[in-house]
Protein backbone atom coordinates (compact mmCIF):
# COMPACT_ATOMS: atom_id res chain seq x y z
CA UNK A 1 0.00 0.00 0.00
CA UNK A 2 1.50 3.31 -1.09
CA UNK A 3 0.43 6.94 -0.68
CA UNK A 4 -0.18 8.54 -4.05
CA UNK A 5 0.02 12.35 -4.19
CA UNK A 6 -1.49 14.39 -7.02
CA UNK A 7 -0.41 17.92 -7.94
CA UNK A 8 -1.49 20.69 -10.27
CA UNK A 9 -3.26 19.40 -13.39
CA UNK A 10 -3.07 15.79 -12.22
CA UNK A 11 -4.95 16.74 -9.04
CA UNK A 12 -7.64 18.42 -11.14
CA UNK A 13 -8.00 15.39 -13.41
CA UNK A 14 -8.01 12.87 -10.59
CA UNK A 15 -10.27 15.01 -8.43
CA UNK A 16 -8.19 14.54 -5.32
CA UNK A 17 -4.78 15.33 -3.87
CA UNK A 18 -3.88 12.16 -2.04
CA UNK A 19 -5.01 8.57 -1.54
CA UNK A 20 -3.73 5.12 -0.58
CA UNK A 21 -3.45 2.54 -3.33
CA UNK A 22 -2.56 -1.15 -3.23
CA UNK A 23 0.05 -2.06 -5.80
CA UNK A 24 2.55 -4.92 -6.20
CA UNK A 25 5.74 -4.48 -4.20
CA UNK A 26 7.86 -4.80 -7.38
CA UNK A 27 6.50 -3.01 -10.40
CA UNK A 28 7.87 -0.99 -13.29
CA UNK A 29 7.15 2.73 -13.29
CA UNK A 30 5.04 2.33 -16.43
CA UNK A 31 2.99 -0.44 -14.80
CA UNK A 32 2.49 1.78 -11.76
CA UNK A 33 1.17 4.54 -14.02
CA UNK A 34 -1.23 2.08 -15.63
CA UNK A 35 -2.51 1.00 -12.19
CA UNK A 36 -3.20 4.62 -11.32
CA UNK A 37 -4.94 5.31 -14.64
CA UNK A 38 -7.26 2.33 -13.99
CA UNK A 39 -8.50 4.20 -10.93
CA UNK A 40 -8.49 7.66 -12.58
CA UNK A 41 -8.93 7.24 -16.35
CA UNK A 42 -8.95 11.01 -16.94
CA UNK A 43 -5.23 11.05 -16.13
CA UNK A 44 -4.47 9.29 -19.42
CA UNK A 45 -4.35 12.60 -21.29
CA UNK A 46 -1.23 13.76 -19.43
CA UNK A 47 0.73 10.51 -19.72
CA UNK A 48 3.41 12.00 -21.99
CA UNK A 49 4.07 14.96 -19.74
CA UNK A 50 4.32 13.52 -16.26
CA UNK A 51 6.96 11.78 -14.26
CA UNK A 52 6.84 10.23 -10.83
CA UNK A 53 8.61 11.09 -7.63
CA UNK A 54 9.07 7.88 -5.61
CA UNK A 55 10.33 8.49 -2.08
CA UNK A 56 11.08 12.02 -3.36
CA UNK A 57 13.36 10.90 -6.20
CA UNK A 58 12.27 11.53 -9.80
CA UNK A 59 11.47 8.45 -11.88
CA UNK A 60 10.56 8.55 -15.58
CA UNK A 61 7.63 6.45 -16.79
CA UNK A 62 9.21 3.38 -18.31
CA UNK A 63 10.87 0.07 -17.57
CA UNK A 64 12.60 1.10 -14.39
CA UNK A 65 11.78 -1.48 -11.74
CA UNK A 66 10.57 0.02 -8.48
CA UNK A 67 10.78 -1.81 -5.17
CA UNK A 68 8.07 -0.28 -3.01
CA UNK A 69 7.67 -0.47 0.76
CA UNK A 70 4.35 -0.03 2.57
CA UNK A 71 3.72 3.66 3.21
CA UNK A 72 6.06 4.88 0.44
CA UNK A 73 5.10 8.20 -1.11
CA UNK A 74 4.58 8.22 -4.87
CA UNK A 75 3.82 11.62 -6.40
CA UNK A 76 2.50 12.40 -9.90
CA UNK A 77 4.64 15.29 -11.15
CA UNK A 78 3.26 17.30 -14.09
CA UNK A 79 5.65 19.70 -15.89
CA UNK A 80 6.91 22.14 -13.27
CA UNK A 81 6.68 25.92 -13.30
CA UNK A 82 8.37 27.25 -10.20
CA UNK A 83 10.35 30.45 -10.03
CA UNK B 1 26.47 39.55 14.86
CA UNK B 2 28.80 36.71 15.88
CA UNK B 3 31.81 37.41 13.68
CA UNK B 4 33.67 34.35 14.87
CA UNK B 5 30.94 31.97 13.77
CA UNK B 6 30.20 32.80 10.17
CA UNK B 7 29.56 29.23 9.09
CA UNK B 8 28.06 29.03 5.56
CA UNK B 9 24.31 28.60 5.76
CA UNK B 10 21.43 27.82 3.44
CA UNK B 11 18.10 29.49 4.14
CA UNK B 12 15.24 27.81 2.29
CA UNK B 13 11.65 28.81 2.88
CA UNK B 14 8.33 28.25 1.13
CA UNK B 15 5.64 30.53 2.50
CA UNK B 16 2.31 32.06 1.58
CA UNK B 17 2.99 35.52 3.00
CA UNK B 18 4.45 38.35 0.94
CA UNK B 19 8.21 37.97 0.41
CA UNK B 20 10.64 40.60 1.63
CA UNK B 21 13.79 41.55 -0.25
CA UNK B 22 15.20 43.16 2.90
CA UNK B 23 14.65 40.02 4.92
CA UNK B 24 16.23 37.72 2.33
CA UNK B 25 19.29 39.90 1.73
CA UNK B 26 19.87 40.36 5.45
CA UNK B 27 19.99 36.57 5.83
CA UNK B 28 23.06 36.32 3.60
CA UNK B 29 24.97 39.46 4.54
CA UNK B 30 28.34 38.65 6.07
CA UNK B 31 31.30 40.69 7.24
CA UNK B 32 33.53 38.38 5.17
CA UNK B 33 31.65 39.10 1.96
CA UNK B 34 31.94 42.05 -0.36
CA UNK B 35 29.09 40.95 -2.58
CA UNK B 36 25.43 40.03 -2.17
CA UNK B 37 23.67 39.16 -5.42
CA UNK B 38 19.90 38.97 -5.67
CA UNK B 39 17.30 37.65 -8.08
CA UNK B 40 13.64 38.57 -7.70
CA UNK B 41 11.02 36.77 -9.82
CA UNK B 42 7.93 38.95 -10.15
CA UNK B 43 4.56 38.26 -11.71
CA UNK B 44 3.78 39.75 -15.09
CA UNK B 45 0.35 41.04 -16.02
CA UNK B 46 0.15 39.45 -19.46
CA UNK B 47 0.79 36.27 -21.37
CA UNK B 48 0.24 35.86 -25.14
CA UNK B 49 -2.10 38.82 -25.25
CA UNK B 50 -4.21 37.65 -22.33
CA UNK B 51 -4.50 39.70 -19.19
CA UNK B 52 -3.22 37.85 -16.13
CA UNK B 53 -5.29 38.56 -13.03
CA UNK B 54 -2.94 36.80 -10.59
CA UNK B 55 -0.81 33.67 -10.19
CA UNK B 56 -1.35 30.72 -7.89
CA UNK B 57 1.53 28.53 -6.82
CA UNK B 58 1.44 25.07 -5.29
CA UNK B 59 4.30 22.81 -4.26
CA UNK B 60 5.22 19.29 -3.21
CA UNK B 61 6.59 21.09 -0.22
CA UNK B 62 8.83 18.51 1.42
CA UNK B 63 10.44 17.49 -1.88
CA UNK B 64 10.72 21.10 -3.07
CA UNK B 65 12.70 22.02 0.04
CA UNK B 66 14.95 18.98 -0.45
CA UNK B 67 15.54 19.81 -4.11
CA UNK B 68 16.37 23.44 -3.29
CA UNK B 69 18.85 22.26 -0.66
CA UNK B 70 20.43 20.02 -3.32
CA UNK B 71 20.80 23.10 -5.50
CA UNK B 72 22.54 24.88 -2.61
CA UNK B 73 24.96 21.93 -2.24
CA UNK B 74 25.72 22.07 -5.96
CA UNK B 75 26.32 25.81 -5.73
CA UNK B 76 28.89 25.26 -2.99
CA UNK B 77 30.68 22.61 -5.06
CA UNK B 78 30.84 24.85 -8.11
CA UNK B 79 31.63 28.07 -6.28
CA UNK B 80 33.38 27.14 -3.02
CA UNK B 81 33.82 30.74 -1.94
CA UNK B 82 30.05 31.30 -1.71
CA UNK B 83 29.11 32.09 1.87
CA UNK B 84 25.35 32.11 2.45
CA UNK B 85 22.45 31.22 0.17
CA UNK B 86 18.80 32.15 0.70
CA UNK B 87 15.90 30.98 -1.44
CA UNK B 88 12.40 32.10 -0.54
CA UNK B 89 9.48 31.02 -2.74
CA UNK B 90 5.92 32.13 -2.27
CA UNK B 91 2.99 29.74 -2.42
CA UNK B 92 -0.71 30.40 -2.94
CA UNK B 93 -1.99 33.55 -4.61
CA UNK B 94 0.63 36.05 -5.81
CA UNK B 95 -0.76 39.36 -7.12
CA UNK B 96 0.74 41.07 -10.18
CA UNK B 97 4.15 42.73 -9.60
CA UNK B 98 4.69 40.99 -6.29
CA UNK B 99 7.62 38.64 -5.90
CA UNK B 100 7.12 34.91 -6.28
CA UNK B 101 10.75 34.02 -5.62
CA UNK B 102 13.77 35.78 -4.13
CA UNK B 103 17.25 34.28 -4.27
CA UNK B 104 20.23 35.88 -2.50
CA UNK B 105 23.85 34.68 -2.43
CA UNK B 106 26.84 36.23 -0.68
CA UNK B 107 30.50 35.75 -1.56
CA UNK B 108 33.76 37.63 -0.94
CA UNK B 109 33.90 38.88 -4.55
CA UNK B 110 31.08 39.52 -6.96
CA UNK B 111 31.67 37.00 -9.77
CA UNK B 112 30.77 33.95 -7.71
CA UNK B 113 27.57 35.31 -6.19
CA UNK B 114 26.33 36.63 -9.54
CA UNK B 115 26.96 33.29 -11.24
CA UNK B 116 25.53 31.31 -8.32
CA UNK B 117 22.27 33.29 -8.32
CA UNK B 118 21.81 32.63 -12.03
CA UNK B 119 22.51 28.94 -11.53
CA UNK B 120 20.00 28.78 -8.66
CA UNK B 121 17.08 30.24 -10.55
CA UNK B 122 17.81 28.27 -13.74
CA UNK B 123 18.09 24.99 -11.85
CA UNK B 124 15.06 25.73 -9.68
CA UNK B 125 13.02 26.14 -12.85
CA UNK B 126 14.30 22.82 -14.17
CA UNK B 127 13.95 20.59 -11.15
CA UNK B 128 11.99 21.87 -8.14
CA UNK B 129 8.40 20.52 -7.81
CA UNK B 130 6.51 23.80 -7.73
CA UNK B 131 3.66 24.64 -10.11
CA UNK B 132 2.26 27.97 -11.24
CA UNK B 133 -1.26 28.55 -12.48
CA UNK B 134 -1.95 31.75 -14.39
CA UNK B 135 -5.45 33.08 -13.83
CA UNK B 136 -6.83 35.07 -16.78
CA UNK B 137 -10.16 36.85 -17.04
CA UNK B 138 -12.07 33.96 -18.59
CA UNK B 139 -9.88 30.90 -17.91
CA UNK B 140 -6.65 29.68 -16.35
CA UNK B 141 -3.57 27.75 -17.41
CA UNK B 142 -1.03 25.53 -15.65
CA UNK B 143 2.33 26.80 -16.83
CA UNK B 144 5.24 24.60 -17.92
CA UNK B 145 8.83 25.79 -17.67
CA UNK B 146 10.84 25.18 -20.82
CA UNK B 147 13.67 24.22 -18.44
CA UNK B 148 11.59 21.30 -17.06
CA UNK B 149 13.94 18.44 -17.70
CA UNK B 150 11.37 15.84 -18.70
CA UNK B 151 8.59 17.65 -20.56
CA UNK B 152 8.37 18.16 -24.33
CA UNK B 153 9.38 21.66 -25.23
CA UNK B 154 7.18 21.81 -28.29
CA UNK B 155 3.75 22.91 -27.11
Amino acid sequence: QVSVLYFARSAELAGLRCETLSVPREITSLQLWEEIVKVHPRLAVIRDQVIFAVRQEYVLLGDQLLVLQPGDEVAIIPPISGG
Amino acid sequence: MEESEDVPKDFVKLKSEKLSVDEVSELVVSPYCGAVSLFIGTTRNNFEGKKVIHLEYEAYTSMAETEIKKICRNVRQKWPSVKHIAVHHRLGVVPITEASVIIAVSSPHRAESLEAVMYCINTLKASVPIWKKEIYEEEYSWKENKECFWANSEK
Side-chain angles (χ1 to χ4, degrees):
Chain A
Q1 284 226 319
V2 295
S3 289
V4 183
L5 305 179
Y6 301 89
F7 293 98
R9 184 135 158 75
S10 68
E12 286 178 349
L13 291 169
L16 76 178
R17 297 207 154 261
C18 143
E19 64 184 344
T20 320
L21 281 187
S22 286
V23 293
R25 179 178 286 264
E26 287 192 13
I27 185 174
T28 69
S29 54
L30 188 54
Q31 284 166 343
L32 177 58
W33 173 256
E34 280 156 10
E35 291 295 311
I36 293 170
V37 171
K38 278 183 202 163
V39 183
H40 302 287
R42 291 172 66 201
L43 287 174
V45 299
I46 57 172
R47 181 200 182 286
D48 290 336
Q49 298 156 34
V50 299
I51 67 174
F52 283 123
V54 178
R55 294 184 295 267
Q56 302 197 0
E57 298 284 342
Y58 289 120
V59 177
L60 294 170
L61 265 57
D63 297 329
Q64 180 167 342
L65 188 67
L66 305 172
V67 179
L68 298 171
Q69 313 288 344
D72 273 352
E73 239 173 44
V74 171
I76 315 281
I77 310 278
I80 54 179
S81 41
Chain B
M1 193 181 297
E2 306 99 350
E3 299 206 357
S4 54
E5 262 198 55
D6 207 11
V7 176
K9 293 191 205 74
D10 301 330
F11 301 95
V12 177
K13 196 183 260 197
L14 303 177
K15 58 194 258 191
S16 49
E17 299 80 32
K18 192 167 171 173
L19 302 183
S20 158
V21 174
D22 280 347
E23 182 190 330
V24 178
S25 42
E26 270 162 41
L27 288 171
V28 305
V29 159
S30 155
Y32 299 95
C33 292
V36 172
S37 298
L38 270 193
F39 172 81
I40 307 166
T42 57
T43 63
R44 276 183 289 149
N45 64 6
N46 72 88
F47 177 74
E48 285 179 357
K50 286 181 286 211
K51 180 174 157 197
V52 177
I53 309 295
H54 65 247
L55 303 187
E56 288 177 20
Y57 282 91
E58 69 178 69
Y60 182 3
T61 322
S62 50
M63 186 175 176
E65 285 174 1
T66 308
E67 288 295 309
I68 297 173
K69 286 180 186 156
K70 277 186 199 168
I71 294 174
C72 293
R73 279 204 294 281
N74 291 344
V75 164
R76 292 180 185 294
Q77 279 197 314
K78 288 168 174 297
W79 296 280
S81 66
V82 158
K83 181 65 94 171
H84 303 304
I85 305 170
V87 178
H88 280 203
H89 201 301
R90 194 163 171 192
L91 300 179
V93 174
V94 183
I96 301 303
T97 75
E98 290 191 17
S100 37
V101 62
I102 303 178
I103 298 173
V105 177
S106 56
S107 59
H109 304 287
R110 68 187 181 282
E112 291 79 7
S113 68
L114 284 167
E115 287 171 31
V117 164
M118 179 152 75
Y119 172 85
C120 277
I121 184 62
N122 289 346
T123 314
L124 186 153
K125 284 182 166 287
S127 66
V128 175
I130 296 177
W131 296 270
K132 163 168 75 183
K133 189 160 127 177
E134 270 175 1
I135 312 295
Y136 312 114
E137 282 167 323
E138 308 272 334
E139 50 181 327
Y140 66 82
S141 164
W142 287 106
K143 305 304 300 178
E144 302 180 1
N145 288 343
K146 64 183 196 302
E147 298 87 347
C148 177
F149 70 85
W150 66 87
N152 303 326
S153 46
E154 63 278 345
K155 261 220 82 192

